[in-house]
Amino acid sequence: MSAIPLVPEPTEALPRVRSNEGLLSWIATVDHKQIGILYLITTVFFLVVGGLEALLMRIQLAQPRNDFLSPQVYNQIFTMHGTTMIFLVVMPILIGFANYVVPLMIGARDMAFPRLNALGYWLLLFSGLLLYYSFVSGGAPDAGWFADAPLSEQPYSTTLGMDYYAVGLLVNGMGTVAAAINLIVTILKFRAPGLSLRRLPLFVWMVLLNSVLIILALPALNAALVMLIFDRYLGAHFFRAMTGGQPLLWQHVFWSFGHPEVYIMVLPAFGMISEILPVFSRKPIYGYGFVAGSTLAILVLSLLVYAHHMFVTGLGFTLDLTFGVMSMLIAIPTGVKVFNWLATVWGGRIRFTTAMCFAVAFPFLFSIGGVTGVQFAIVPIDKQLTDSYYVVAHMHYVLFGGTFFAVMAAFYYWFPKITGRMLSERLGKQQFWLMFIGFNMTFLIQHVLGWLGMPRRVYTYDNNPGWDIMNMISTIGAFILAVGVLVFVINVFVSLRAGKIAGDNPWEGWTLEWATSSPPPLYNFDQVPPVRSRRPLWDLAHPERPDWKHPVGHGGKDQ
Amino acid sequence: MSDPKSPFGLDSSNLFNVSLLISFLILLGVGGVVLYSILRFRARPGEGEPPQDFGNRRLEIAWTLFPALVLVVITAFMVPALARQEVDTYPPETIQGDPDIWVIGHQWWWEFRYPKSGVTTANELHIPTGQRLLVKLESADVIHDFWVPDLNPKMDTVPGNTNWMWLEADQPNTPDHPYYPGECAEYCGNQHAWMLFRVVAESPDQYQAWLQHLKAGATPPTDEAARRGALLFTQKTCISCHAITGVPNANSQAGPNLTHFGSRSLLGAGVLNNTPDNVRKWLKDPQAVKPGNNMPNVRLSDAELDALTAYMESLK
């Protein structure tokens, strides 16, 4: 050991905060659980904002040639809807859950770098405030969430909106990378004794790989944003064709972030499903090794397929074919996961909690987004259907029917641990059905609209046969969906006051977070139970047939 | 897509239908297993834990290989279709020389040039049937995307880049179905929604007649109102943006070419139909009809509006 300390030991105690110290405790906190809760509150707030933007869009599109919104306003709203949902809702809500749950699942006392953790959260919040401040600065970003150059350049986007977009996402990206580094170090260095990597709960495993993917992908976005700022303020010529720049460069750089981003928004959701389905089916995850390994395959492939977003930009036969085939390959590891989830449920004793309803709907809804994803990898189909409502339908099946349903399952699953109280099952079931019906009503029919030729991102459309009725159905579905979100928010408020007391382990779960009290104490565990398999709490509950005696279930012998 | 009218659209459509069938089968399987499990494996009170099944290696390998096999089959169908659609797979001599059609995307209208005949039109593309036409695509400002859902896969127009694609229609349009609708599919700013166009497929003879008519330029107006309109066209600012073949000095490329405006069916790239009332409405205040478009309000009096409308409609 070196005798020279590189970082001096603090001579004063770090600020200590107890949960009963009011507002200050939330602002000054470095506790992963409080930070996790801050992430969840913030992202649900932005979910409501982004959802209201979606409703405004659906009102405008309910009828042909509607003038509820002007084109300028509509274009800002759809840009902010996409940007909000991706950067302020889906990505951080997954990080928020990881923040709360991962240290508990691995038997750690906190994240590896508590203050970096707090920084990550505050960067998220301020990036959101920056983005939304653009509305009062004279105009929100209006070039779409992927901000294709040269539309995002000065001559075509004259308000400050795109500047707030670029700076806001830079700030957001820093927070995301900080959180990812923190999660990686925590998972690699702070696991309880006996919790080898081969025994990691799948949620933790997928958060680990997801964090690696964040570190690999986010720099491309940051580079693109800096180039855009240079173009807009310093007269650089990266993306301006008139002065020798190349507009397609933006797409290459952006999508080399943007496609991994799609998986960044779904891998932790896969992890949630892989935790929740087993517990409510009362069976271990089927094929742990394949579920974990296929995630690694997805990580690698996701970095090699980005140009499938550019099949109509004129890449030519060779590149189109290469990226088409590479994109199709992702269906294989993803299919493996779906089959394993189905096999996990098969032969179980299913307990239909609200969490399970959302979790069991996930493989089916996600598969719809999956098969249409394969269709888009078939290049001649992509060349026909890309930039139409078929894409809108596809990505919402992946991100809403997929990730969002998983997140809802996670809320119902971990809410008792986080708050000590159960969410109402009665309201939960109502919410599930409202969302299931509303979601499918909104987006299933958009496949047909796209197939008939309705382009995406139009503020209005001509009265073509059938378009009016289908758009109206979609709008009604969106409102049903919104009622579902409202029921969820009501459920949270009601249950926080009057929910049933949860106890340590209401679902009879098997991972370490259920071994401590609900909510956990500041230091998380009095004592971490022995970990001799992938399901330490199963081993405690079933000493007659523990996993560590099972040839596969032990997850590698103790070293 | 619903009913493709070209060999290239048919390729896409066939692949779509095959992939849709496979998708339905997969979803039927997944949905069926989920539904069966929900009904069959519901926990009943008093039961203990079910048998703990950790997996089966052979089954895992089987359901890894099965989708791989499906993808190999799909790829085998995809490659020839893609090769037919992409211009760069054809022998160089077929794609040399002038293109048949030169498409230029503008915020928010389409310029169509016929380099072999030297004529230009806007928002309404006439093509001969049964011929594989080489199309060159460029942009005057931002990225647009040329899409005729019934005919062909789409292609972007990218500023600073030149793209190529094939365009072909099997059958001429009929009075019941007078055109194929086209649109901009890539978000291009404020009025992206109103960047529509129409493709009129005609028999080669009719097409040649149309082309010759366009080439001949505009016939000078005969009636009094239209003559006054023609004068206004050169006196007001119209001429600084719009070209009319046959009118001296009217050759600016900034706005849509108006040579045979009166015979086109769309106004403002689809925001209105081309009727005298609508033309008058447009000329009175273009910004009220299509907010944000690049045509200013030139503040014409009622009498001037009537005259200019008459002139525009006379440009058959």
Side-chain angles (χ1 to χ4, degrees), chain A residues 65 142 320 340 384 386 453, chain B residues 41 60 86 154 183 187 271:
Chain A
R65 293 183 179 266
D142 57 358
D320 280 353
N340 277 301
Q384 179 68 15
T386 190
Chain B
F41 302 118
E60 297 284 352
E86 302 264 11
K154 55 176 72 67
E183 62 206 25
Y187 174 64
V271 70

Side-chain angles (χ1 to χ4, degrees), chain B residues 75-126:
Chain B
T75 307
F77 280 108
M78 172 177 92
V79 174
L82 182 63
R84 276 193 294 273
Q85 288 183 351
E86 302 264 11
V87 171
D88 64 355
T89 59
Y90 285 73
E93 59 271 19
T94 50
I95 52 176
Q96 270 162 6
D98 283 335
D100 298 291
I101 296 160
W102 182 7
V103 172
I104 302 168
H106 294 257
Q107 279 186 323
W108 296 285
W109 59 280
W110 295 94
E111 181 177 351
F112 299 126
R113 298 188 189 179
Y114 296 78
K116 289 174 177 168
S117 317
V119 298
T120 302
T121 183
N123 298 336
E124 190 172 299
L125 183 67
H126 286 241

